[in-house]
Amino acid sequence: MAGNSIRFGTDGWRAVIADGFTFQNLAIAAQASAQVLARTYPGAGILIGYDNRFLSEKFAAHAAEVVARLGIPVYLSACAAPTPAFSWAAKERGCHGALVITASHNPPHYSGLKVKGGFGGSVPPEVTAAIEQELHHLQPLGSNSAPIHTWDPWPGYLAQLSRFVDLEKLKGSPAKIWVDVMFGSGAGGLKRLLGEKVIELQAHRDPLFGGVSPEPLPQNLQTSAQIIAADPAPLKVGLVFDGDADRIAALDGQGRFLSPQILIPILIDHLAGRRGLRGEIVKTISGSELFVKVAERYGLPVTEMPVGFKYIAERMLTTQVLLGGEESGGIGYLGHIPERDALLSALYLIEAVTETGQDLSALYRALQEREGFSSVYLRRDLHLADQNQQVRLFQQLQADPPSEILGQKVIKHFDKDGHKFTLADGSWVMIRGSGTEPLLRLYSEAKTLEAVNHLLDWAAGLVNTAASHPR
């Protein structure tokens, strides 16, 4: 059965278009997802949304027909929009949930399906597991269809975002605001909120994403960085959204890349310090220790989770979470849905720059100095020719974890999501599998770039050893 090839990863199902991601497989995944959503979450109807990728609107229409033939009313988006817009709409409109055709930051030849619950966020692991079980027990679709309504997700979503900041104040910001939407579905969003104050880059639809993956990484942003650096404005903020606008990164006034590791501490400080807001800080295990330092300054509790925003979302449903952030730039906020949202992150960052009159890099340096915590953080991705390589490596690390790495004692071993080793000097190194692509992600944070690279080299050496010694 075709459904046997469908596997749900960190956030939904993704596969190569015309290989694993076909209209036939999508029909199976959409039917299983819709049936589980309708059983799990009270409501009326299911939303279908999509991004700017190749054939996304056609895939969305096909999924809508499948869900309608289950007798479930469908609300099909009339246009591409950010994934959080559909999550918000699912909650606002009282639906069972939403199915979003998107492969987020994955390469252009991928498509995917994200499943959102009626509460406004990614479904938890047990619901994903139920969908995977449902794939193998599907009945033929009925011949009668429930109605398919088309609607525009943007007005309701932008109205929700406008509740969190003073838009008129931001329109008067001394900063010039650039946003690179990476040809993604966030195009036009900030401009509709802040008008001509915003200058967009790469805002037209290009299913090839300019020949790179729509992921906010330095190597994918060189042209935008040059444009922003050349702008003579005295104060600038450059914001970057991924392909479906649920993740954020930034560029400072000199065009230097600012990762989420830099932005999240700035946001915690802004919300807790200038805004006076309180609540728990939730970080994924791969996040910087500076998150913890800033949270502790304001007496905010910190909880660590495995990688994947669905784990943060679960926590947000039961706890007053001020900010939940992951290493890849997905950040959710108190008072909003339990969902990562790049546009809301952008508004808060613009607000921080507006209120301080300082560049984002300057705000980060000030935080490092204040907390006495200066570090370098890097991630490397290693592509796997053999998926069993990861299995062998993780079995080895589970059975015989190192007690010492590069002369430093291991003081903590986190093994709930890959393997993270914290060392006596406060540095750490982590190895985990990607939930969406055939690769291993290596992470490290240490006091110097040299130390970080040594730790990443050590981790890469372990991976290579596992490859050369198959069992």
Side-chain angles (χ1 to χ4, degrees), residues 9-234:
T10 307
D11 191 6
W13 164 55
R14 298 178 205 177
V16 173
I17 297 170
D19 182 6
F21 200 92
T22 62
F23 284 98
Q24 180 187 10
N25 275 351
L26 174 61
I28 293 167
Q31 181 180 347
S33 299
Q35 289 177 178
V36 172
L37 285 177
R39 285 203 306 265
T40 307
Y41 302 106
I46 286 177
L47 300 172
I48 308 283
Y50 59 92
D51 65 5
N52 271 345
R53 286 175 180 266
F54 179 63
L55 287 180
S56 280
E57 64 272 47
K58 301 291 187 187
F59 285 131
H62 187 62
E65 291 172 8
V66 169
V67 176
R69 286 178 63 189
L70 293 171
I72 301 172
V74 174
Y75 299 91
L76 174 63
S77 181
C79 56
T83 291
F86 300 115
S87 295
W88 164 249
K91 180 178 180 181
E92 181 190 35
R93 299 171 74 97
C95 293
H96 298 299
L99 303 179
V100 187
I101 304 297
T102 179
S104 188
H105 64 280
N106 286 96
H109 55 290
Y110 278 76
S111 191
L113 179 70
K114 289 187 177 181
V115 183
K116 306 297 181 178
F119 57 88
S122 295
V123 294
E126 60 268 22
V127 175
T128 297
I131 293 170
E132 289 189 319
Q133 286 296 313
E134 193 86 1
L135 291 170
H136 308 293
H137 307 287
L138 298 180
Q139 299 300 314
L141 293 168
S143 55
N144 296 323
S145 288
I148 298 176
H149 310 277
T150 57
W151 62 290
D152 184 350
W154 280 101
Y157 174 56
L158 295 177
Q160 166 69 353
L161 294 180
S162 68
R163 298 184 180 110
F164 292 91
V165 294
D166 183 340
L167 294 177
E168 292 307 312
K169 185 177 179 181
L170 298 192
K171 288 176 185 176
S173 174
K176 192 167 182 180
I177 302 166
W178 293 85
V179 57
D180 183 349
V181 297
M182 301 196 81
F183 304 108
S185 56
L190 278 188
K191 241 180 145 46
R192 288 169 73 163
L193 287 167
L194 301 178
E196 296 308 309
K197 186 73 182 170
V198 173
I199 302 170
E200 286 192 325
L201 300 169
Q202 304 193 124
H204 63 278
R205 184 181 186 185
D206 175 8
L208 296 178
F209 301 104
V212 302
S213 299
E215 182 170 14
L217 296 174
Q219 62 268 30
N220 298 337
L221 301 169
Q222 293 175 11
T223 301
S224 297
Q226 291 169 3
I227 291 170
I228 292 170
D231 179 0

